[in-house]
Amino acid sequence: METGAVVDAKGTGGLAGAVASLAGPVDELRAAMSGSSDSGNSARSVDSHDHLRELSESCLDGLGIVARVEAATAAVKVRLLSEYSKAAAALEAPAESAYESSARDMSVVAEVACTLTIGEGAASALLQDAHALTTSLPATLSAMDAGVISWRHAQVMVDETSGLDSAATANLEAHFLDPEVPNGARGASAGELVPGRFRRKVRAWRERHHPESLTIRHAKSMADRRMEYKPDRDGMAWVSLYVAADKGCAIWNKSSALARGLQGPNEARTLTQLRADLAVKLLLGDTDDLAGPGPSLKADVLVTVPILSLLGTTDEPADLDNYGPIPASMARKLVAEGANSFYRVLVDPRDGATLELGRTNYRLTESLKRWLKMRDGKCTFPGCSNPSPDNEADHLRSWERGGATGISNLGQLCPKHHRLKHRTGWSPGAASRNEPPAWTSPTGRKYTAEQPDREPTLWPPGWLPEGSSVLELFVVDYLAAS
């Protein structure tokens, strides 16, 4: 069959190249493991400490190479799935009915499931991901070929570009994977971010650049709000809510604040257990003994709002702390009605940077704490997603060694990574007023800091002046001081 021959000719060449690309990393791994073996055999010599250090380095190098091999192998699997699907379709005559077409698709899924010894649901998802990667995400597939990103990073790209048109998909892919694109993603590259953090960044950028307004999409999604119930084993069950972002954040923050208030020397329950117990009490109407002797129950939430969006001149999305972009209408409502629970954070309309506050004493003022919370949003340790309310402000360079109490010498750390910093060789690098610190491991490996993708404010047509006017500078200075 002519069509089948074309598919075979193109597919075989591409697959051969993909498989050949595995040879390089495999050879590197073999060399690394050979060096590791040599170091292990002589570890009992006089310089055993140096040999153990070499062994440690070889193992870490080997792990890095294995990650690249796994990514390249996943890329080969994607190409095999795509080519098999096309070849199977080409081998058949055109389907005479929708029923026959569906049956053929089911057969392809079943064949893949049996070959890989996985469920048909997983096989179907694999085939769909492979189709998306080979048809609309070429840069993602190439990055996986090169071992730059993992299979899980590629799945994030597939998930977050679902429903976007080809132009929007290309723009999103270029922003995170093309180092030459103007105003590309800052800080750590896609492959340097753990998949969960990468998803947060991709989703935030997608929300801001979606062809359809976030306000319109939010209004449509509100119709899908619901509560779900799922029985689980050992006499347990899951209850979840799909609600508007501001309400979801408020529920989480109130539960967390109340739980912290109950913590103390006589409370054996963990913070996670307390949150669940309090949510049950609130939902079932039992509000007794919700407040304990611990910290304040005030649950602060930061809402970063572009000034023109706050004034209602534009519909540019705002940013809700520990969530991401929200519709401008929701942000205006939060600022108007949030009272003491919500803090307005204004950004410079020229470059999207936050307006800096400066302090010099050792103890952090409330405004500086909020600034730090706004800049970092989470624990700054690589891959950690611990949210701001659970973190501790830490001097990057200690006060005793001349470190100042300014935003450029502060970072957020969760309790676990705060202990890690002081008890091991992990050390943070320099920070700035708008960028969190990078980190260096005890072995000398450097891990780039994750940074927010700030963008200039969207000015209405005719509003943008050629230069900064005296009035504009006065307004910016006034907002920074207020």
Side-chain angles (χ1 to χ4, degrees), residues 307-308 311 344 346-350 355 459 463 468-482:
I307 181 62
L308 297 179
L311 296 174
R344 181 184 63 185
L346 299 178
V347 299
D348 191 321
R350 290 161 295 192
L355 303 176
W459 290 82
W463 275 53
S468 300
S469 66
V470 175
L471 177 61
E472 179 190 353
L473 295 174
F474 172 79
V475 170
V476 170
D477 290 340
Y478 173 77
L479 292 173
S482 62

Side-chain angles (χ1 to χ4, degrees), residues 1 54 121 135 174 304 368 373 434 444:
M1 185 180 296
E54 291 176 6
T135 56
T304 304
L368 190 55
K373 179 180 178 182
N434 290 312

Side-chain angles (χ1 to χ4, degrees), residues 56-62 426 439-447:
S56 171
E57 290 290 333
S58 296
C59 290
L60 290 174
D61 290 342
W426 283 92
W439 282 79
T440 302
S441 74
T443 61
R445 286 172 168 77
K446 297 184 183 299
Y447 297 90

Side-chain angles (χ1 to χ4, degrees), residues 16 85 87 129 167 178 226 234 248 268 325 342 357-358 407 479:
S85 178
D129 290 348
D178 183 358
R226 60 189 179 274
D234 303 327
F342 292 89
L357 306 171
I407 192 66
L479 292 173

Side-chain angles (χ1 to χ4, degrees), residues 1-9 90:
M1 185 180 296
E2 183 179 353
T3 305
V6 172
V7 170
D8 181 69

Side-chain angles (χ1 to χ4, degrees), residues 62 66 87 95 98 105 121 161 181 210 281 315 334 347 381 410 414 427 455 464:
V66 166
D105 290 341
T161 54
V181 70
H210 197 287
K281 283 188 175 184
D315 282 329
L334 290 177
V347 299
F381 194 82
L410 294 171
C414 66
S427 61
E455 299 179 13
L464 187 63

Side-chain angles (χ1 to χ4, degrees), residues 48 63 81 100 134 139 148 152 177 191 259 271 297 299 305 323 352 359 364 391 395 397 399 405 429 435 441 447:
S48 60
L63 285 171
L81 286 165
E100 184 179 351
T134 53
V148 175
R152 291 182 63 193
L177 297 177
L271 185 63
L297 303 185
V305 190
Y323 175 76
R359 297 293 185 271
L364 276 67
N391 295 335
H395 286 74
R397 183 180 181 186
W399 178 267
T405 305
E435 296 175 359
S441 74
Y447 297 90

Side-chain angles (χ1 to χ4, degrees), residues 112-175:
V112 170
C114 292
T115 300
L116 297 178
T117 320
I118 58 176
E120 292 190 11
S124 177
L126 270 176
L127 285 163
Q128 291 174 20
D129 290 348
H131 177 74
L133 287 165
T134 53
T135 56
S136 37
L137 293 167
T140 303
L141 186 54
S142 296
M144 201 161 50
D145 267 327
V148 175
I149 63 172
S150 71
W151 166 243
R152 291 182 63 193
H153 289 85
Q155 285 182 302
V156 170
M157 293 296 288
V158 171
D159 293 343
E160 298 303 330
T161 54
S162 176
L164 297 181
D165 59 28
S166 57
T169 297
N171 288 337
L172 187 150
E173 190 179 43
H175 178 77

